[in-house]
Amino acid sequence: MWSQSWVNIMDIVKPYNKSSIDVTEKMVEKGMQPVDMAKIAEEFFVSLGLTAMPSEFWSGSVLEKPKDREIICHASAWDMCNGKDFWIKQCTRVNMEDLVTLHHEMGHTQYQMQYKNQPKIFRDGANPGFHEAIGDLMALSVQTPHHLHGIGLLDQFEEDEEAEINYLLSMALEKIAFLPFGYLMDLWRWNVYKNKTNPDTYNCDWWDLREQYQGVSPPEVRTEDDFDPGSKFHITTNSPYIQYFVSSIVQFQFHQALCITADQFDPANRVGKPLHKCDIYRSHAAGEKLAKMLQLGSSKPWPEALEIVTGKRQLDASAILDYFHPLIVWLEKENNKTKEHIGWVRDKSHPPCLRTKTKKSGSQSNSNPSITFILGVFLCAVSLTKLDFFLVN
Ligand SMILES: [Zn+2]
């Protein structure tokens, strides 16, 4: 709905007719259950010398959609702040997407366990983007065809250039397509806070950003009677979003640095040891470096934490370019062949959103302003004392 992942168009845009790395079918065939998927994720962390999930994780977590009650199924990870109860909640379906999500959530759990000995105030990510990046970092290794083959989820895979381009394109449809969306979510929200976007322009300002950054438009004309930003969980639950954008960049920085540590990537030999084939599985050296950073929690400024793993103190998107290098070269060649227009042009005759409102607004709310204020103060107080939780994007 939000075009935050484009991987579902892979079957339409797939460049070469090679076997897919979507292991969903295999998972179903094996009769895999959500708990088996969580064990796969746990085993990856443990292989790096990181911590196994405690028994409280297995008894307290919700890994399947309960049959006896309604719950909010949006996946999240919870630190109950007593040093032993670390839980996740995920209505796991048996498919590859949810396997990746399980790694994402368990990345939060691993972070929480690593910094559990810090004073409460520092039991957090170096910045919120770091917290979102850890599980995704693991998934970058787990998703490689070689790794999936090794853990018995992929029978055979080709290792030629065509299969590699297919693989990198599917990763790009996930990771690159996310960047503009990850950015515009909070851009829209910050414009609301700045009164640059006001209630009369909520929806069309949203679609302006969607078109400008993502190059997408709605399937039918929208108006100010609609509130499309509200379709996104993080808008209606007031959950910040910029961390997912930061995470998308920093996870590749972590991956690049740890792959060098694990001797799985050689910047001087990108053909022999390319970044997209790196799998840090079983590298205790990589795990040790990562643990050192995770254990800091938020007790040091994030550039110091970043430096432990990467040797650098700044966010840097060049690791993404490194990872996708073969795909970039291939795309340039293909686009040249077809003289493809790069980018998109706004079709002014078909505006995606009409700045009109037919229904009356402003008078529907009967709420008493002072009650709203007291409720706001109460919710603030609750959030200050609440448990730490992290969500999936
Ligand atoms: Zn998350």
Side-chain angles (χ1 to χ4, degrees):
M1 226 183 345
W2 313 284
S3 321
Q4 68 178 75
S5 165
W6 291 17
V7 82
N8 56 347
I9 61 163
M10 184 60 187
D11 54 344
I12 306 169
V13 299
K14 196 173 169 185
Y16 300 107
N17 193 19
K18 297 271 159 163
S19 52
S20 157
I21 60 134
D22 189 328
V23 296
T24 300
E25 237 172 75
K26 189 79 190 168
M27 291 166 69
V28 175
E29 186 191 310
K30 285 186 142 199
M32 213 167 238
Q33 297 299 310
V35 67
D36 305 318
M37 293 160 67
K39 291 278 181 194
I40 288 180
E42 180 192 39
E43 204 268 325
F44 194 91
F45 285 100
V46 171
S47 88
L48 300 176
L50 297 170
T51 314
M53 296 296 118
S55 58
E56 289 83 357
F57 172 88
W58 300 105
S59 57
S61 291
V62 173
L63 295 175
E64 285 180 60
K65 187 176 181 176
K67 292 189 177 82
D68 58 339
R69 61 194 190 276
E70 286 292 322
I71 67 163
I72 295 171
C73 268
H74 199 101
S76 53
W78 298 77
D79 179 353
M80 307 310 276
C81 305
N82 62 1
K84 53 183 187 174
D85 285 306
F86 305 98
W87 305 337
I88 66 175
K89 179 207 64 174
Q90 182 177 337
C91 301
T92 316
R93 301 155 302 174
V94 179
N95 62 32
M96 186 162 179
E97 186 189 345
D98 281 22
L99 180 64
V100 171
T101 301
L102 261 173
H103 284 80
H104 177 93
E105 297 308 333
M106 208 177 272
H108 288 306
T109 307
Q110 186 64 230
Y111 212 158
Q112 291 158 353
M113 291 193 299
Q114 292 290 339
Y115 60 54
K116 68 177 187 184
N117 294 324
Q118 289 283 352
K120 172 71 185 83
I121 194 84
F122 296 138
R123 276 183 240 158
D124 208 343
N127 76 31
F130 281 46
H131 227 302
E132 298 305 333
I134 305 310
D136 287 13
L137 161 71
M138 302 298 140
L140 284 177
S141 287
V142 174
Q143 278 171 284
T144 57
H146 188 262
H147 186 89
L148 293 173
H149 179 68
I151 59 172
L153 287 181
L154 199 61
D155 286 336
Q156 65 221 19
F157 65 100
E158 297 101 333
E159 275 204 285
D160 56 26
E161 202 196 333
E162 293 186 349
E164 246 177 74
I165 293 299
N166 274 1
Y167 173 66
L168 280 174
L169 185 66
S170 76
M171 289 301 284
L173 290 173
E174 184 73 48
K175 301 287 183 180
I176 305 290
F178 179 75
L179 288 170
F181 181 75
Y183 178 59
L184 75 80
M185 273 278 288
D186 272 355
L187 199 55
W188 180 85
R189 190 157 29 195
W190 293 332
N191 283 340
V192 170
Y193 294 152
K194 282 193 280 193
N195 284 331
K196 210 174 139 188
T197 287
N198 58 61
D200 291 333
T201 64
Y202 277 164
N203 210 39
C204 288
D205 284 2
W206 168 257
W207 281 108
D208 275 350
L209 293 173
R210 299 267 277 151
E211 187 169 33
Q212 183 183 350
Y213 290 101
Q214 291 185 281
V216 299
S217 53
E220 62 169 30
V221 177
R222 314 300 286 158
T223 73
E224 288 298 342
D225 286 331
D226 307 308
F227 181 58
D228 295 320
S231 66
K232 187 70 193 162
F233 177 91
H234 300 74
I235 296 288
T236 47
T237 58
N238 203 26
S239 309
Y241 210 74
I242 198 65
Q243 60 257 43
Y244 300 108
F245 177 74
V246 172
S247 161
S248 298
I249 293 168
V250 85
Q251 65 185 252
F252 281 95
Q253 280 184 270
F254 293 150
H255 186 61
Q256 185 188 46
L258 295 180
C259 287
I260 293 172
T261 305
D263 195 25
Q264 281 277 314
F265 168 58
D266 181 358
N269 178 18
R270 286 184 160 77
V271 178
K273 275 189 184 170
L275 189 52
H276 66 274
K277 279 193 184 172
C278 157
D279 174 10
I280 60 172
Y281 193 48
R282 293 183 177 150
S283 169
H284 280 216
E288 222 170 273
K289 221 177 216 185
L290 185 62
K292 217 169 139 196
M293 182 188 86
L294 300 179
Q295 281 158 15
L296 283 182
S298 62
S299 65
K300 296 272 189 248
W302 68 262
E304 273 181 52
L306 183 67
E307 199 172 14
I308 291 175
V309 169
T310 69
K312 291 180 191 151
R313 297 175 62 90
Q314 274 164 336
L315 280 189
D316 177 1
S318 65
I320 300 182
L321 295 177
D322 241 350
Y323 183 92
F324 288 106
H325 181 71
L327 180 67
I328 295 168
V329 172
W330 183 84
L331 280 171
E332 279 170 354
K333 212 168 67 194
E334 287 298 307
N335 287 333
N336 239 336
K337 258 194 240 167
T338 53
K339 298 280 175 270
E340 205 64 53
H341 174 80
I342 311 293
W344 51 92
V345 186
R346 183 168 205 174
D347 180 1
K348 292 211 172 74
S349 59
H350 294 92
C353 184
L354 299 174
R355 293 181 180 274
T356 55
K357 206 167 200 173
T358 51
K359 293 172 199 153
K360 268 194 185 159
S361 69
S363 54
Q364 300 102 319
S365 169
N366 298 322
S367 69
N368 180 329
S370 59
I371 290 179
T372 310
F373 175 74
I374 292 165
L375 187 66
V377 171
F378 172 74
L379 287 175
C380 254
V382 169
S383 72
L384 282 174
T385 54
K386 75 172 181 348
L387 314 160
D388 292 326
F389 73 101
F390 295 90
L391 302 157
V392 72
N393 65 28

